[in-house]
Each structure stands twice: as C-alpha cells, then as structure tokens.
Amino acid sequence: MKHFYKKILKRLASCLVIAALVACSLSGCNQESSSSKKESETEEKKIQIGMCFDSFVIERWQRDRDVFVSMAKELGAEVNIQIAGGDVDEQKKQIDYFIKKGMDVIVIVAIDSIHMKDAVKKAQDAGIKVIAYDRMIADAGTDLYISFDNEMVGELMGQALVDAGLTDKKVVMICGSPNDTNVPMVETGFEAVMEEAGNEIIDKTYADGWKAELAGDYVYNNISTIIRCDAIMCGNDDLASHTLRALSEKRLAGRKLVVGQDADLEACQRIVEGTQLMTVYKPIEKLAQTAAICAVKLANGEELDAESLESEGCEISTINDGSNTIPYLKIQPVSVTADNMNDVIIKSGFHLKEDVYLNVPGKMPEN
C-alpha cells in the first residue's frame, strides 16, 4: 500500500512539472508573440518613400538612387524605387501605384515636366507629400523642388568658353529636352554670358526626351553650321559624347570648344585628353542626401529649417512653377576643367584618378 501511494505521488509530481513546463511554454509563446507584434508595429511605422526615376540611361541617376536610399535608411525610412524607362504614361502608373501603397512621400524625377501636374495633384489629394527631384514639375504646386542652381550651370558653361578666349565668335546650342523645365534656366544663364561677350548664337536645337543620339544626328545633318561655329554648348555630357563622336568622324574633334554638364566619367576623360573643354560638377551626394532628409521631415510634418540647410551649402527660397510659388532648395554647381580636375573630381572621390586619366596616364598627377 505504501509503495502504491509513492507511485501516485510520483505521477502527480510529474504531472505538475509537465503543467509548469506547458505554462512556461505558453507564456514564452505569448511573450514571443507580443515581441513579434511590437516589431511588426515598428516596421509598420517606418516612413515609406516612393522614388520614381526617368531612366538610368544617364550615368548619374544610379548614383542619385544609391545615395538617397542609403541616407533614407539611415533616417529610418524605407524607399521603393521605380524606373519608368523614359515612358511618361508608365511614370504616371508608377505614381498611381505609390498612391495605392499609401506612401508618405513621393519623389519624382520627371520625364515630362509639363504633363505631370494631374499625377501630383492626385497624390497630394491622397495626403502624400511630393518632391520634384532635380527637375521642376510645371504648374503642379509640389511640396518641394530640389535641384542645382540651373541658371548658374548655364553661366558656368558660358564663362568657361569666354575664359578660353571665346569672344565675338559663333556658337551652337544643343540643348536637352524641351519638356524639362531646367533646360530654359540653363539657357538663360548661358545666353546672358554669350551676349555680354559679344558671341552670336547661330543655331539652337533640342534633344527630345534627352535622347543623346539626336545630338550626333544634328551634327551630321547640319555640318555647314557646325563648320561655321567656334563652340558647341551641349545640354549634358551624354549629348556631348554623341556630339564629339560625330565631330571626330568629320575630323573636327578638338577644333570646336565643347562644354557639357554632369561630370560623367567619359566627359572627365575627354577633358584631360583635350577634346572637351569643361563640364559642370553637380555634387549629387549632397543633392540626394538633402532630398532624403527633406523627405523624412515632410513625412513627419516638420518645417524645412532654412538655417540648418544653408549651413550645409544649400540655399532655400521660392520659385514660381508657372501657377504656384513653391519652396525651392538649390545647391551650387562647380565648373570643372583640366586645371581643377584633381581638386574637384578626384579629391572628392567622385571618380577615381586612374579612371579619369585612363587614356592619358602621362598626365596623371602624382597626388
């Protein structure tokens, strides 16, 4: 009988242990479930930013993307990147997608700056902040337009030509897309310098959709005008690439002063080689980082602090987009020639020295 009671007690003890383990396990599951829930809620609270690019045909846009995403993540935001491939309708669909996803902010590198206002309004009506990145969107009333000082870009191009001795001469302008609102700003700055120096603009053309091959086509189809001119202003370095390729085939490379913008690697190589006079370096890292900071601030309902932005070398003011006065944050560009290539491009880490001087290693500076 005594042995029987011992067996019963032993079984009861085992049951109690099992019950305790089950209780602990359930408690642990509840804690784990609670912890997962909290983590899930934290994830849900992250700021969501949609960024819509024109395309990645132009070299610089991939750099913009990488820097923007990195800074946004550092600030605790998530970025969804979409690439429209130069198709306006596709870009509008991507903005609709961002609206449905409930983004806090949409950042747009507009393909067509003139026909995007309805898409912007739709996003804003849904309570989403909209930033026009690098290219203004006309008549849209975006919450922010952030770019470089585009008139100054044109002025720097013009001044480089004047400094190279271009006065009372003839110039051809191969500008970018007529639907890019930055293009007329660059033109204004460039033409003012040309007029002051007594230079005559004998022809002006535009590359629809920034299609660089159109610059080469212009040279081939207007060779008599090209022969008459002394300098060619190209809307960006991609247009300059095709212009110089065509000039080379016509044995005119190096005989016409050519300027561009964006400081693409190939342009920097041409500058040290002597076929392109200059480019305009636009500190993309600063633009993309500042845009990410502003996107997070707008998502949080914070004011853009002019004082802190100006201390970072950014000027915040206003600009008229055609129908509305909007906040305009602009960053100063820098003229780059063979003389300051090392100081501006190499030392900033924008391009590697070995890459820039790849074709002319004998010109490579030691430091």
Side-chain angles (χ1 to χ4, degrees):
M1 190 64 117
K2 193 174 181 182
H3 180 68
F4 174 75
Y5 284 124
K6 276 186 179 178
K7 268 181 104 177
I8 292 294
L9 288 169
K10 195 171 182 182
R11 283 183 184 178
L12 282 169
S14 297
C15 288
L16 287 169
V17 169
I18 290 166
L21 287 171
V22 169
C24 287
S25 174
L26 288 171
S27 173
C29 286
N30 286 336
Q31 286 174 4
E32 190 176 329
S33 174
S34 176
S35 174
S36 298
K37 190 176 178 183
K38 282 179 183 175
E39 285 177 11
S40 177
E41 284 173 357
T42 302
E43 286 293 317
E44 287 172 9
K45 286 177 185 175
K46 276 191 175 180
I47 290 167
Q48 300 295 315
I49 302 170
M51 192 170 196
C52 193
F53 279 92
D54 170 349
S55 72
F56 282 162
V57 172
I58 296 175
E59 179 187 308
R60 59 159 287 199
W61 293 130
Q62 294 181 50
R63 195 186 293 254
D64 287 78
R65 173 201 62 193
D66 293 345
V67 175
F68 183 95
V69 170
S70 177
M71 176 56 73
K73 283 184 177 178
E74 193 177 312
L75 296 170
E78 289 184 344
V79 185
N80 185 321
I81 299 289
Q82 298 290 318
I83 307 157
D87 186 327
V88 178
D89 291 332
E90 180 62 25
Q91 189 162 60
K92 289 178 181 178
K93 287 177 188 175
Q94 290 170 356
I95 292 168
D96 282 338
Y97 165 74
F98 284 147
I99 294 169
K100 287 174 186 173
K101 291 284 284 183
M103 294 290 163
D104 297 295
V105 181
I106 299 176
V107 181
I108 305 170
V109 180
I111 298 166
D112 184 330
S113 300
I114 295 170
H115 299 103
M116 295 298 293
K117 66 178 181 180
D118 290 341
V120 171
K121 186 177 186 307
K122 193 174 178 182
Q124 290 175 326
D125 286 347
I128 300 169
K129 300 292 186 183
V130 179
I131 295 176
Y133 185 90
D134 198 55
R135 298 171 180 170
M136 186 197 295
I137 301 175
D139 304 313
T142 54
D143 297 281
L144 178 66
Y145 164 49
I146 179 167
S147 186
F148 298 96
D149 186 333
N150 291 296
E151 276 198 34
M152 187 176 178
V153 169
E155 289 167 5
L156 292 175
M157 288 177 167
Q159 194 57 50
L161 291 173
V162 173
D163 291 346
L166 194 80
T167 54
D168 300 317
K169 299 288 176 64
K170 293 178 170 53
V171 181
V172 164
M173 295 174 67
I174 303 178
C175 305
S177 170
N179 290 336
D180 183 336
T181 49
N182 288 350
V183 170
M185 296 184 206
V186 174
E187 288 178 59
T188 297
F190 180 80
E191 290 171 355
V193 177
M194 291 299 95
E195 184 179 355
E196 190 177 339
N199 292 312
E200 179 190 357
I201 296 166
I202 59 172
D203 199 13
K204 184 198 294 189
T205 188
Y206 296 88
D208 288 338
W210 285 100
K211 292 174 184 173
E213 61 271 18
L214 296 177
D217 292 345
Y218 174 84
V219 174
Y220 295 130
N221 297 329
N222 298 273
I223 194 64
S224 60
T225 303
I226 293 296
I227 288 170
R228 286 174 55 220
C229 82
D230 302 285
I232 305 171
M233 176 276 213
C234 296
N236 68 9
D237 288 333
D238 204 15
L239 296 176
S241 291
H242 286 259
T243 297
L244 280 157
R245 199 169 298 149
L247 288 176
S248 181
E249 289 181 20
K250 297 295 182 180
R251 298 184 181 180
L252 293 170
R255 294 170 59 187
K256 309 292 176 182
L257 297 174
V258 176
V259 296
Q261 67 164 313
D262 287 342
D264 287 354
L265 176 59
E266 285 187 18
C268 292
Q269 289 173 336
R270 290 193 296 267
I271 288 168
V272 297
E273 289 163 17
T275 54
Q276 182 168 328
L277 175 65
M278 69 81 73
T279 186
V280 179
Y281 167 62
K282 301 185 293 190
I284 291 165
E285 285 82 0
K286 184 178 287 186
L287 180 74
Q289 286 174 353
T290 307
I293 291 167
C294 291
V296 170
K297 281 181 177 291
L298 288 174
N300 286 327
E302 298 174 25
E303 292 290 326
L304 299 179
D305 183 1
E307 190 175 332
S308 66
L309 289 170
E310 286 172 7
S311 70
E312 293 296 322
C314 310
E315 179 187 340
I316 188 159
S317 57
T318 58
I319 192 169
N320 192 285
D321 69 0
S323 301
N324 314 275
T325 299
I326 59 172
Y328 175 26
L329 199 157
K330 58 185 175 182
I331 295 170
Q332 300 301 308
V334 182
S335 176
V336 179
T337 64
D339 293 335
N340 67 350
M341 180 69 68
N342 198 45
D343 290 334
V344 177
I345 299 298
I346 309 300
K347 288 183 179 177
S348 69
F350 193 71
H351 293 309
L352 295 175
K353 178 168 62 175
E354 292 75 14
D355 292 336
V356 171
Y357 292 90
L358 179 67
N359 303 319
V360 283
K363 293 184 178 181
M364 189 187 302
E366 291 182 7
N367 299 317

